[in-house]
C-alpha cells in the first residue's frame, strides 16, 4: 500500500522514522512519501519537504510567515492528490495538519492522526471538526483516551509514548562518551532559531557562576555551528555537540531544557532538569489567556504535579535558573525527589509492545478498509 506521512518538527521526524520502520516490517511492499526530516528519509521514505522549512512557532511568527504557510498547504494538497495514498498519516503539527486533514477527508482519503493535537490544553473546539475528518486518532498520553471518551464520546486509540522505544533503542547502543574533565550541564535551547535566540543567552549566563561544570549545548539538526558560536563569546566553560543529544543527556549531571518533547526525553534518561520557556511577549500574553493547563512540560502533565520546575517567560532569568539548577544537582535539596518522580513516570509509560508497532498495525488496517 501507499502511505503519505506529514511531520513538521524534529520530534515528529523521530517518531515518523520509527513508524516507517514498523510499517515496512508489517507491509514490506509499502511505498512511502513524506514531509519530515533526515531520519524519515533514512528509514526509507521519499522526502518531499524538510521540517526546517516549515517550523514557525508563536502567534506573531505564524502571522509573519502566513504567505509561506499558504504556499506549503497548496503544494502539499497537490502532492497528495498526485500520489493517491491509501492512508494519509499526520504526526502532531496541528496548525498545518488539521487543515490538511479537513481537505483530505473531503477528497475521500483515509486519515490517521498519530500524536493527537493537545486540545485538552487549548482550542478544545477543534475536536468537533477532528471527529468529522479523522478516521483514526492515535494518542500517546495516558490521560487522553479517557478525555476523548468521557468528554467527546470518541473512542480513540492509545498506543503508549513512542519516546520510550527511542530511549530503549539508544540505551542498547554502544555509547561514545563526550570528552570532558568536568561534570556536564546539558543545555537544550530548542530547535528553531527564534526560540534559541530567546533562551540560550539566559542559559549560558548561568555558566559564569558554575565554573566547575562544563555547559554543553545540544545543537539542533539543520542549524550551522556558526549560529551557536555567536553566543559563546566571553564564556570559558561552554561548548556544543551535534547529533548527540541522547549521549549528552545520558552523561549529564543535570539539564536546562526547553519545554516540549525534550523534557520527556530528559526524564526518561533519568537526568534532573529545569524546564524553560521564553517567547515573544505578545505571543506569551496571547497564550497565557488561551491555554488552560497547569503545566507546560510533558513530565508534569503526565504526572499531574510539579515534578520538575518550570520557569516561564519573565521567571526564566539567570538568577532563578541558577537557583533551581543548584537544587537538582547531586547534593541539592530536590535531587532525590526528582529521581523518584521519574520512576513513577516510567512506570506509567512502559509497555512491552512499542507505540510504532501498534500504530503501524492500526494504519495498515485502516488502509485495507479502503481497498
Amino acid at each position: 500500500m501507499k502511505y503519505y506521512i506529514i511531520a513538521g518538527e524534529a520530534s515528529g521526524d523521530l517518531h515518523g522514522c520509527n513508524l516507517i520502520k514498523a510499517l515496512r516490517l508489517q507491509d514490506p511492499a509499502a511505498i512511502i512519501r513524506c514531509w519530515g526530516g533526515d531520519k524519515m528519509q533514512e528509514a526509507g521514505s521519499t522526502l518531499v519537504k524538510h521540517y526546517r522549512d516549515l517550523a514557525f512557532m508563536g502567534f506573531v511568527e505564524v502571522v509573519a510567515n502566513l504567505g509561506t504557510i499558504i504556499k506549503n498547504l497548496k503544494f502539499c494538497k497537490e502532492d497528495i492528490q498526485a500520489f493517491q495514498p491509501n492512508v494519509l498519516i499526520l504526526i502532531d503539527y496541528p496548525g498545518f495538519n488539521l487543515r490538511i486533514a479537513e481537505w483530505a477527508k473531503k477528497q475521500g482519503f483515509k486519515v490517521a492522526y498519530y500524536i493527537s493535537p493537545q486540545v485538552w490544553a487549548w482550542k478544545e473546539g477543534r475536536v468537533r471538526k477532528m471527529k468529522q475528518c479523522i478516521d483514526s486518532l492515535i494518542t500517546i498520553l495516558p490521560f487522553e483516551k479517557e478525555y476523548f471518551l468521557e468528554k467527546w464520546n470518541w473512542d480513540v486509540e492509545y498506543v503508549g509514548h513512542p519516546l520510550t522505544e527511542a530511549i530503549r533503542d539508544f540505551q542498547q547502543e554502544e555509547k561514545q562518551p563526550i570528552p570532558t574533565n568536568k561534570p556536564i550541564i546539558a543545555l537544550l535551547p530548542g530547535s528553531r532559531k527564534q526560540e534559541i535566540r530567546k533562551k540560550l543567552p539566559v542559559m549560558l549566563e548561568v555558566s559564569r557562576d558554575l565554573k566547575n561544570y562544563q555547559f554543553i549545548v545540544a545543537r539542533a539538526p539543520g542549524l550551522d555551528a556558526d549560529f551557536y558560536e555567536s553566543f559563546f563569546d566571553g564564556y570559558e566553560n561552554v561548548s556544543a555537540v551535534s547529533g548527540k543529544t541522547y549521549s549528552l543527556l545520558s552523561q549529564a549531571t543535570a539539564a536546562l531544557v526547553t519545554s516540549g518533547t525534550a523534557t520527556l526525553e530528559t526524564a526518561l534518561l533519568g537526568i534532573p532538569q529545569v524546564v524553560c520557556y521564553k517567547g515573544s511577549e505578545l505571543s506569551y500574553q496571547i497564550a497565557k489567556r488561551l491555554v488552560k493547563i497547569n503545566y507546560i512540560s510533558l513530565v508534569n502533565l503526565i504526572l499531574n504535579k510539579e515534578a520538575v520546575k518550570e520557569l516561564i517567560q519573565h521567571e526564566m532569568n539567570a538568577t532563578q535558573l541558577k537557583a533551581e539548577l543548584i537544587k537538582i544537582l547531586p547534593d541539592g535539596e530536590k535531587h532525590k525527589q526528582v529521581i523518584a518522580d521519574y520512576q513513577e513516570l516510567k512506570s506509567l509509560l512502559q509497555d512491552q509492545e512499542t507505540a510504532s508497532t501498534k500504530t503501524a498495525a492500526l494504519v495498515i488496517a485502516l488502509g485495507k478498509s479502503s481497498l
Side-chain angles (χ1 to χ4, degrees):
M1 287 192 293
K2 295 164 71 176
Y3 308 90
Y4 198 107
I5 307 176
I6 303 175
E9 298 170 301
S11 60
D13 183 35
L14 172 65
H15 303 324
C17 164
N18 285 330
L19 177 57
I20 289 166
K21 291 174 182 176
L23 280 170
R24 292 206 171 281
L25 283 173
Q26 297 179 45
D27 180 6
I31 302 169
I32 305 171
R33 195 167 173 83
C34 77
W35 290 41
D38 300 340
K39 287 182 170 63
M40 291 172 74
Q41 187 174 32
E42 288 163 9
S45 176
T46 300
L47 183 65
V48 180
K49 259 195 185 295
H50 201 287
Y51 67 77
R52 63 173 165 257
D53 300 323
L54 310 172
F56 307 112
M57 64 172 289
F59 300 94
V60 177
E61 294 80 4
V62 167
V63 170
N65 291 281
L66 204 52
T68 301
I69 293 167
I70 290 169
K71 286 179 185 176
N72 284 337
L73 282 164
K74 182 175 182 291
F75 173 67
C76 185
K77 292 172 184 177
E78 292 170 351
D79 200 55
I80 292 169
Q81 194 70 265
F83 186 63
Q84 289 290 307
N86 296 96
V87 188
L88 172 64
I89 306 165
L90 307 172
I91 301 179
D92 201 3
Y93 196 49
F96 188 92
N97 275 340
L98 286 177
R99 288 175 172 80
I100 293 296
E102 186 179 4
W103 167 85
K105 188 64 179 175
K106 290 175 182 175
Q107 306 306 309
F109 294 110
K110 291 289 184 182
V111 179
Y113 207 116
Y114 178 37
I115 307 178
S116 167
Q118 295 177 350
V119 288
W120 35 264
W122 75 304
K123 289 195 174 180
E124 198 171 32
R126 282 174 162 176
V127 179
R128 294 181 185 88
K129 189 166 284 187
M130 287 166 60
K131 287 183 74 174
Q132 295 171 0
C133 63
I134 295 170
D135 296 291
S136 179
L137 181 63
I138 302 163
T139 64
I140 63 171
L141 299 175
F143 58 83
E144 288 180 316
K145 186 172 178 67
E146 182 180 349
Y147 164 81
F148 282 109
L149 188 59
E150 291 191 356
K151 190 149 190 177
W152 296 97
N153 193 31
W154 191 5
D155 191 12
V156 304
E157 303 286 350
Y158 169 64
V159 294
H161 206 291
L163 273 183
T164 58
E165 65 193 274
I167 298 295
R168 189 160 56 233
D169 290 346
F170 165 74
Q171 289 172 335
Q172 292 171 356
E173 294 172 1
E174 186 177 341
K175 307 296 184 295
Q176 292 185 329
I178 294 167
T180 177
N181 56 4
K182 295 179 179 179
I184 293 172
I185 304 294
L187 305 183
L188 278 67
S191 59
R192 305 175 182 91
K193 284 187 176 182
Q194 64 203 44
E195 62 179 342
I196 294 167
R197 288 191 184 105
K198 287 280 185 184
K199 291 189 281 287
L200 185 54
V202 184
M203 292 177 170
L204 291 175
E205 196 64 28
V206 178
S207 71
R208 295 192 191 279
D209 295 326
L210 294 169
K211 302 285 190 186
N212 293 332
Y213 288 88
Q214 183 70 20
F215 285 68
I216 304 182
V217 179
R219 281 170 37 199
L223 295 185
D224 295 334
D226 290 348
F227 171 71
Y228 289 91
E229 292 293 334
S230 65
F231 296 97
F232 294 171
D233 286 346
Y235 294 102
E236 300 171 10
N237 52 331
V238 169
S239 56
V241 295
S242 178
K244 297 179 180 179
T245 302
Y246 283 5
S247 294
L248 170 61
L249 283 171
S250 66
Q251 200 175 328
T253 301
L256 306 180
V257 185
T258 292
S259 58
T261 305
T263 65
L264 188 55
E265 291 173 309
T266 305
L268 291 173
L269 285 164
I271 309 306
Q273 65 184 298
V274 181
V275 176
C276 307
Y277 174 81
K278 198 179 191 74
S280 76
E281 187 60 27
L282 180 56
S283 290
Y284 169 69
Q285 291 298 335
I286 295 170
K288 188 178 172 183
R289 287 157 176 76
L290 294 176
V291 175
K292 52 182 181 179
I293 51 175
N294 295 323
Y295 308 108
I296 62 169
S297 72
L298 285 172
V299 177
N300 292 343
L301 282 166
I302 294 168
L303 290 172
N304 196 28
K305 63 181 179 182
E306 192 184 58
V308 294
K309 182 66 177 179
E310 299 178 352
L311 295 179
I312 303 171
Q313 202 65 5
H314 305 296
E315 290 183 347
M316 194 206 157
N317 56 66
T319 301
Q320 287 187 256
L321 203 50
K322 175 190 165 186
E324 294 300 332
L325 175 59
I326 288 171
K327 290 177 186 177
I328 60 171
L329 292 175
D331 295 329
E333 61 193 75
K334 289 187 176 180
H335 181 85
K336 288 183 180 177
Q337 185 57 53
V338 171
I339 299 301
D341 287 335
Y342 283 174
Q343 289 305 315
E344 182 184 346
L345 177 76
K346 290 175 186 176
S347 68
L348 282 172
L349 295 177
Q350 277 178 347
D351 198 337
Q352 291 303 309
E353 192 177 21
T354 69
S356 298
T357 299
K358 291 178 183 176
T359 301
L362 290 168
V363 165
I364 290 168
L366 180 61
K368 287 179 177 176
S369 71
S370 67
L371 295 177

